[in-house]
Amino acid sequence: GCLFHSAIGDMLAAVSNKYSGFASASPGAVRIENACTQWLASVIGYPEAAAGTLTSGGSVANLTAIVAAREARDPEGGGAVYTTRFAHYCIDKALHIAGRGRSPRRQIETDASHRMSVVALEEALEGDSRNGVRPWLVVASGGTVDTGAIDPLPEIAELCRKYGAWFHVDGAYGGLFALCDDGRELLRSIEQADSVALDPHKTLFLPYGTGAALVRDGRHLAEAFSATAHYISPLGESEVGPSPADLSPELTRHFRAMRLWLPLQIAGIAAFRAAQSEKLALARYFHARLSEMDGFDPGPPPDLSVVAFRYVPEAGEADAFTERLLKLLQQEGRVMMSGTRIDGTFYIRCAILCFRTHIEHVDEAIDAIVEGVATLNG
């Protein structure tokens, strides 16, 4: 569920019908959007020279960053791309749309907690450099979809500097946990990334359709997307910052910033920090309780607020039992969870990321899971 403040912001944006792409047409809307992207950049620790754009979500945010990376480091093509098997599938779509779907691809191995292996990444970068293949783009996860794992960002940043690769962090799910103290430590060195994709409609509890692409050196966004036409020439010098249309693939764009700006003004940043910290604590609590129960494989300790777990019965196949358990939970309707497969093994995903979710709801979810196991065990 989203904040009602955002709905009010969207209503104001819709009835005022402000075109937020062009500074001369609507300097107030552009000022607010630029203020919001600069605030998001400050949350992850980017310098003042950073630039960003609000997008429809993580898919377009990742695409925007990859196009900026293409223009900055791979304009002629041929550079290699490095990801793990846990990279979100929108990365593949973005590479295809950006004309780099056939770039040399290296799938980097992961550790027991599903994080990118630094040793394997360095071997791949070194091997390509030695064989005449230019390292172009390393995509790290600031919270994977399956388990919420955060790749080792400090070490990856160092390797990218060493080999001249563009360092992109897909932080669509988890990147904005950098706002709270616990999350900031977990996401240490995200500010060293050349670009970051974020989804305020996840970690800031906003309505769907609120993403953001940030680039540490903002000139790369302008060089990738700036365009003009005679009919929309600037009316004069602007004091509100760059036009968002010059930092984004979108020309026509909704005044998205109001749905982010207004809740921050009304609720205050401290409320968002507290809510995020609570979600991280609830995930650890959920994992700890499952760890104490017979028959449960609680999965790796959560980096953020996703726990991937399964049930291993005394007799019978664990995958089949866990799938039946998930179906039972979904049909019962008390709690909503989803499933995933990690290296062929089926897990249930408990994703705690609603500002209305508190410890009593997590306890109820655990009760539903335990009762579901009892039902299936007959």
Side-chain angles (χ1 to χ4, degrees), residues 204-222:
L204 288 181
F205 321 113
L206 303 186
Y208 283 120
T210 317
L214 304 175
V215 175
R216 181 154 48 89
D217 184 345
R219 294 175 300 175
H220 293 309
L221 268 184

Side-chain angles (χ1 to χ4, degrees), residues 274-292:
Q276 289 185 350
S277 295
E278 181 190 30
K279 305 319 153 198
L280 296 177
L282 289 176
R284 293 193 291 267
Y285 171 78
F286 180 87
H287 184 271
R289 284 206 55 192
L290 287 191
S291 299
E292 298 168 351

Side-chain angles (χ1 to χ4, degrees), residues 109-141:
E109 289 301 311
T110 56
D111 62 18
S113 295
H114 312 307
R115 304 182 186 108
M116 182 182 286
S117 165
V118 175
V119 172
L121 176 61
E122 184 166 21
E123 288 175 353
L125 291 165
E126 176 62 29
D128 280 339
S129 298
R130 189 170 54 248
N131 293 319
V133 178
R134 177 173 41 81
W136 165 43
L137 176 66
V138 176
V139 180
S141 291

Side-chain angles (χ1 to χ4, degrees), residues 1 28 50 60 63 73 96 119-120 130 134 138 184 191 201 211 247 271 289 291 312 317 325 327-328 340 372:
V60 174
L63 171 62
R73 302 281 175 86
H96 175 73
V119 172
R130 189 170 54 248
R134 177 173 41 81
V138 176
R184 189 177 305 112
E191 74 280 357
H201 66 214
L247 305 175
R289 284 206 55 192
S291 299
V312 182
E317 207 272 322
L325 175 60
K327 185 176 181 180
L328 181 66
T340 189

Side-chain angles (χ1 to χ4, degrees), residues 296-357:
F296 283 97
D297 171 7
D303 282 348
L304 296 173
S305 68
V306 173
V307 179
F309 69 96
R310 63 188 188 133
Y311 187 80
V312 182
E314 293 181 0
E317 207 272 322
D319 276 8
F321 189 98
T322 304
E323 288 193 66
R324 287 162 52 211
L325 175 60
L326 175 61
K327 185 176 181 180
L328 181 66
L329 292 170
Q330 291 175 339
Q331 290 176 340
E332 185 185 40
R334 291 168 61 190
V335 296
M336 177 61 194
M337 296 184 184
S338 63
T340 189
R341 285 190 179 274
I342 300 175
D343 299 330
T345 300
F346 188 83
Y347 289 85
I348 297 174
R349 291 175 65 255
C350 174
I352 303 173
L353 202 60
C354 175
F355 68 94
R356 297 186 179 97
T357 300

